[in-house]
Amino acid sequence: MNKVITTVVIAVIILGGYFVLNNSYQPTSATYQPQITDQPTEQPIEQTPTAPAASENENIITYTDSGYSPNMLTIKNGETVIFKNQSSKSMWPASAMHPTHRVYSDTSLDDHCPDTTNSSLDACTGILPGNSWSFKFDKTGSWGFHDHLNPKNFGKITVE
């Protein structure tokens, strides 16, 4: 009987220690890691409940739970791309490469967020489901982009 009680006590201590240590682990990083929630931020950002209709100078990239569609797009210099969130979670379109966001503007996430001039191909915050964010491309080249909240989702925009 004493062996059973001793075994149960040891098992409870081991399991309790595992759960305490497992839940208290918070990885740290030297890179910028903003706190992301599905709540709107106080930063001014143009979010519309539905994206405007596309015209000949606008292109729509839809974000779903499966990622960006289309994930490759060719546009002309000066055209606008609308990133429309039709997923169940927030999205954060940003220039490649994660986590720096340097490729389009050659400034780091810390340097250009908030992007008051809308020149950095970076929403700088999560875009809630049903909302959209737009960006006007004024540089020719091939520009990678990703979802900062889910970096496995990415694409490329070629500006001619």
Side-chain angles (χ1 to χ4, degrees), residues 10-98:
I10 291 173
V12 168
I13 291 172
I14 290 173
L15 286 174
Y18 170 77
F19 286 113
V20 168
L21 292 176
N22 192 33
N23 289 332
S24 67
Y25 173 70
Q26 295 292 327
T28 59
S29 173
T31 61
Y32 176 79
Q33 295 294 327
Q35 196 74 339
I36 304 301
T37 66
D38 279 343
Q39 301 299 317
T41 65
E42 293 182 24
Q43 291 178 315
I45 186 153
E46 185 177 323
Q47 290 192 14
T48 56
T50 57
S55 71
E56 65 183 57
N57 292 338
E58 294 178 325
N59 304 277
I60 295 177
I61 295 177
T62 303
Y63 185 75
T64 66
D65 291 330
S66 300
Y68 290 105
S69 178
N71 64 355
M72 297 189 84
L73 183 65
T74 300
I75 64 171
K76 295 191 182 329
N77 193 353
E79 289 186 342
T80 297
V81 174
I82 299 168
F83 293 85
K84 186 175 180 181
N85 188 355
Q86 291 184 336
S87 74
S88 61
K89 296 182 179 179
S90 291
M91 69 167 181
W92 177 336
S95 175
M97 293 294 299
H98 182 74

Side-chain angles (χ1 to χ4, degrees), residues 106-156:
D106 198 33
T107 59
S108 72
L109 181 63
D110 291 329
D111 294 336
H112 66 248
C113 284
D115 183 13
T116 58
T117 62
N118 199 28
S119 61
S120 297
L121 182 53
D122 196 325
C124 292
T125 190
I127 307 300
L128 297 171
N131 291 323
S132 63
W133 176 77
S134 62
F135 184 77
K136 182 177 179 179
F137 285 81
D138 60 2
K139 296 179 182 182
T140 58
S142 290
W143 308 109
F145 65 92
H146 70 285
D147 176 17
H148 184 69
L149 303 176
N150 192 0
K152 72 176 183 159
N153 294 323
F154 56 89
K156 182 181 285 188

